[in-house]
């Protein structure tokens, strides 16, 4: 049932960095969702005016709990309100889960490449979470492109290197890198994807999410690196 | 005390006669695509009209397409991701011109694209001056991320029906789901009736 609107109570809000926020909602009788899916969020003003926007789900389904990632857009109608104003214990309405293409299904065993730009990391983080908590042992490589350390999301959870579950993570800074980072700050290049197309059991199923310019560039590099276009799934913001 | 989004005021109320339910107006031109943008040079571009038995009825190359009578529609477009863009201006060929003189009993059409994208529409929605194959946006060649070199334009339906990188139209005896329709989107997609998902 996509058509149904649920009441969602804001249970907690977490700061991911100076501007990005994670919002935790409780939704009674939530039907569950797949990693990579999104929801519509509806706000209602006192005069009855309503505004609706889509937000990616940042974590796999867990009971009645929904986790959304919100990057406020300057001058935006909905995102600044969600990020800063909506009080704890107040409600919004949500509808979903939505999206049947940009999803990772845990039963698949093929290698996966996740390529996130900026707040495009949000749905990919749900996939990493799902992979870590599942029995699946498909190779997972996460490439997280971001402008600077100050704009990093999920710093505790998505650390560079390989974790015990076999998920490898690399951070690719475009404007400003931390001192210990060997890769100089710069735009994503073919060199960053070297080897990504030829993994064991490959080519990988690729999920690319971020602003349009980033997704166009990254998806083009993947195809140039030899990944069949049909193996590249994209989701764009704005 | 109202506990439903308290303190939310929203922006200026847009004029509702041009805004379908659940949409918001945008000045930008966002992009929705399922995969990489295919590279389609106009030197090898072809547009094919295919009959219900798979037979090639008509084919145009880029130059031949440019020789057809051109129209310049200015229309509002509505994306299922909830943005609406008013007064977009295009240049291209009316689907009526492409179908002129074709005698068919087909009820539906599959729009097919370079890169493998497909979307289904009733044939009647592509005729009567309501659909075009466009190659120019705002006076400039249509950029690849927006469907260039040429895309379908069917502004009275949600914009995923306006297939990017279109390579042809295939006539169908009955309705079949295209790409997004087979992963849960609505078969018809009328924005004024909010036909977003299969269950709407």
């Amino acid at each position: 049932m996509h058509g149904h609107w649920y009441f969602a109570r804001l249970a907690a809000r977490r700061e991911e960095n100076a501007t990005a926020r994670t919002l935790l909602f409780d939704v009674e009788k939530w039907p569950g969702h797949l990693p990579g899916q999104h929801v519509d969020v509806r706000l209602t003003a006192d005069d009855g005016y309503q505004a609706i926007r889509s937000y990616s789900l940042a974590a796999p389904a867990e009971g009645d709990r929904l986790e959304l990632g919100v990057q406020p857009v300057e001058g935006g109608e909905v995102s600044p309100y969600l990020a800063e104003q909506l009080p704890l214990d107040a409600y919004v309405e949500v509808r979903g889960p939505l999206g049947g293409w940009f999803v990772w299904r845990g039963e698949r065993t093929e290698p996966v490449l996740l390529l996130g730009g900026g707040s495009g990391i949000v749905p990919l983080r749900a996939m990493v979470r799902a992979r870590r908590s599942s029995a699946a042992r498909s190779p997972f490589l996460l490439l997280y492109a971001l402008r600077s350390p100050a704009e990093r999301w999920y710093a505790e959870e998505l650390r560079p290197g390989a974790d015990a579950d076999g998920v490898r993570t690399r951070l690719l800074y475009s404007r400003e890198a931390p001192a210990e980072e060997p890769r100089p700050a710069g735009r994503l290049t073919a060199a960053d994807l070297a080897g990504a197309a030829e993994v064991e059991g490959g080519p990988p199923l690729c999920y690319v999410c971020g602003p349009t310019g980033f997704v166009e560039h990254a998806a083009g590099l993947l195809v140039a690196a030899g990944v069949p276009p049909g193996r590249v799934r994209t989701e764009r913001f704005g | 005390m109202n506990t439903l989004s308290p303190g939310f005021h929203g922006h200026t109320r847009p004029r509702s006669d041009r805004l379908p339910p659940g949409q918001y107006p945008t000045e930008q031109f966002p992009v929705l695509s399922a995969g990489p943008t295919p590279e389609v040079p106009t030197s090898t571009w072809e547009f094919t009209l295919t009959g219900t038995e798979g037979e090639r009825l008509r084919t145009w190359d880029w130059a031949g397409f440019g020789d057809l009578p051109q129209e310049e529609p200015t229309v509002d477009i509505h994306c299922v991701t909830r943005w609406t863009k008013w007064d977009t201006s295009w240049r291209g060929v009316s689907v009526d011109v492409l179908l002129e003189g074709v005698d068919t009993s087909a009820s539906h059409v599959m729009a097919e694209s370079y890169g493998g994208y497909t979307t289904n529409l009733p044939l009647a929605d592509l005729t009567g001056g309501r659909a075009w194959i466009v190659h120019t946006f705002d006076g400039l060649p249509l950029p690849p991320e927006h469907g260039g070199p040429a895309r379908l334009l069917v502004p009275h339906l949600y914009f995923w029906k306006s297939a990017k990188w279109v390579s042809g139209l295939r006539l169908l005896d009955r309705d079949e789901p295209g790409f997004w329709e087979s992963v849960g989107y609505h078969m018809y997609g009328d924005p004024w009736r909010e036909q977003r998902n299969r269950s709407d």
Side-chain angles (χ1 to χ4, degrees):
Chain A
M1 277 292 288
H2 300 291
H4 181 71
W5 288 96
Y6 297 84
F7 286 108
R9 184 183 66 87
L10 182 62
R13 181 188 272 112
R14 196 168 63 224
E15 294 189 3
E16 296 295 345
N17 57 48
T19 55
R21 301 287 180 268
T22 287
L23 273 62
L24 301 169
F25 287 99
D26 285 328
V27 182
E28 268 184 49
K29 300 203 173 87
W30 179 248
H33 57 268
L34 295 167
Q37 287 192 298
H38 59 275
V39 293
D40 282 344
V41 175
R42 181 163 76 180
L43 306 181
T44 304
D46 285 344
D47 66 354
Y49 170 75
Q50 296 183 319
I52 302 169
R53 297 291 187 280
S54 292
Y55 288 94
S56 285
L57 291 154
E62 207 181 298
D64 288 347
R65 177 55 62 89
L66 289 192
E67 184 167 343
L68 304 186
V70 178
Q71 176 67 60
V73 178
E74 206 177 313
E77 184 174 31
V78 171
S79 55
Y81 173 83
L82 287 177
E84 300 298 339
Q85 279 182 265
L86 176 70
L88 285 178
D89 288 325
Y91 289 82
V92 298
E93 289 170 288
V94 299
R95 178 179 181 262
L98 301 169
W101 175 245
F102 197 81
V103 295
W104 179 67
R105 295 168 197 273
E107 71 270 20
R108 302 185 76 142
T109 56
E110 65 214 321
V112 169
L113 172 62
L114 307 176
L115 193 39
S119 57
I121 191 66
V122 173
L124 306 184
R125 189 264 202 159
M127 296 183 192
V128 169
R129 277 267 188 108
R131 164 66 179 73
R132 282 178 173 157
S133 63
S134 81
R137 282 296 164 262
S138 43
F140 249 60
L141 172 60
L142 169 66
L143 300 180
Y144 175 16
L146 67 171
R147 267 187 285 223
S148 68
E151 296 186 17
R152 190 170 162 193
W153 291 63
Y154 312 125
E156 291 302 311
E157 198 176 309
L158 303 179
R159 295 165 177 275
D163 69 11
D165 301 310
V167 177
R168 286 185 299 141
T169 301
R170 284 176 57 203
L171 271 51
L172 307 167
Y173 295 94
S174 63
R175 299 232 179 116
E176 180 198 338
E180 69 276 12
E181 170 62 48
R183 179 187 179 275
R187 193 175 193 223
L188 182 75
T189 66
D192 293 316
L193 300 176
E198 298 116 30
V199 295
E200 202 181 324
L205 186 54
C206 304
Y207 295 88
V208 186
C209 185
T212 293
F214 171 82
V215 171
E216 286 295 312
H217 178 62
L221 287 177
L222 286 171
V223 173
V227 179
R231 302 283 290 166
V232 181
R233 301 184 179 198
T234 60
E235 182 114 305
R236 293 154 164 90
F237 289 162
Chain B
M1 164 97 190
N2 180 13
T3 59
L4 183 60
S5 46
F8 173 69
H9 304 297
H11 287 173
T12 312
R13 279 40 173 168
R15 36 183 300 201
S16 57
D17 58 333
R18 283 178 69 186
L19 193 69
Q23 298 290 110
Y24 66 91
T26 182
E27 299 288 314
Q28 296 165 354
F29 194 170
V31 171
L32 171 73
S33 306
T37 296
E39 227 176 280
V40 188
T42 53
S43 55
T44 55
W45 182 89
E46 271 191 349
F47 186 90
T48 305
L49 186 63
T50 307
T52 52
E53 305 297 322
E55 73 280 20
R56 277 181 160 226
L57 298 175
R58 290 169 181 179
T59 301
W60 293 268
D61 63 9
W62 191 252
F65 206 79
D67 289 339
L68 296 172
Q70 307 285 317
E71 294 183 11
E72 297 193 343
T74 294
V75 295
D76 299 344
I77 54 177
H78 313 290
C79 181
V80 70
T81 61
R82 298 190 178 277
W83 56 263
T84 282
K85 189 172 173 64
W86 285 315
D87 297 322
T88 59
S89 57
W90 308 82
R91 183 173 166 80
V93 178
S94 168
V95 175
D96 290 317
V97 171
L98 306 178
L99 293 172
E100 212 170 270
V102 173
D103 184 23
T104 179
S105 58
S107 60
H108 289 78
V109 169
M110 191 68 79
E112 299 177 322
S113 296
Y114 291 98
Y117 182 75
T118 55
T119 189
N120 55 306
L121 309 99
L123 178 58
D125 285 77
L126 293 178
T127 57
R130 294 200 293 168
W132 297 264
I133 306 295
V134 292
H135 48 72
T136 300
F137 172 71
D138 246 354
L140 295 171
L142 184 60
E145 68 269 25
H146 288 303
R151 76 180 297 164
L152 182 60
L153 175 67
V154 194
H156 69 281
L157 300 178
Y158 279 127
F159 213 43
W160 89 79
K161 295 287 184 182
S162 294
K164 297 179 187 181
W165 316 300
V166 71
S167 62
L169 299 175
R170 185 160 55 87
L171 300 173
L172 302 173
D173 282 329
R174 57 189 163 79
D175 203 6
E176 285 173 24
F179 174 82
W180 286 116
E181 294 82 6
S182 66
V183 291
Y185 279 33
H186 198 276
M187 288 291 270
Y188 184 63
D190 180 354
W192 295 97
R193 289 185 279 167
E194 279 213 85
Q195 293 173 335
R196 301 173 190 275
N197 301 290
R198 189 67 63 82
S199 55
D200 290 339

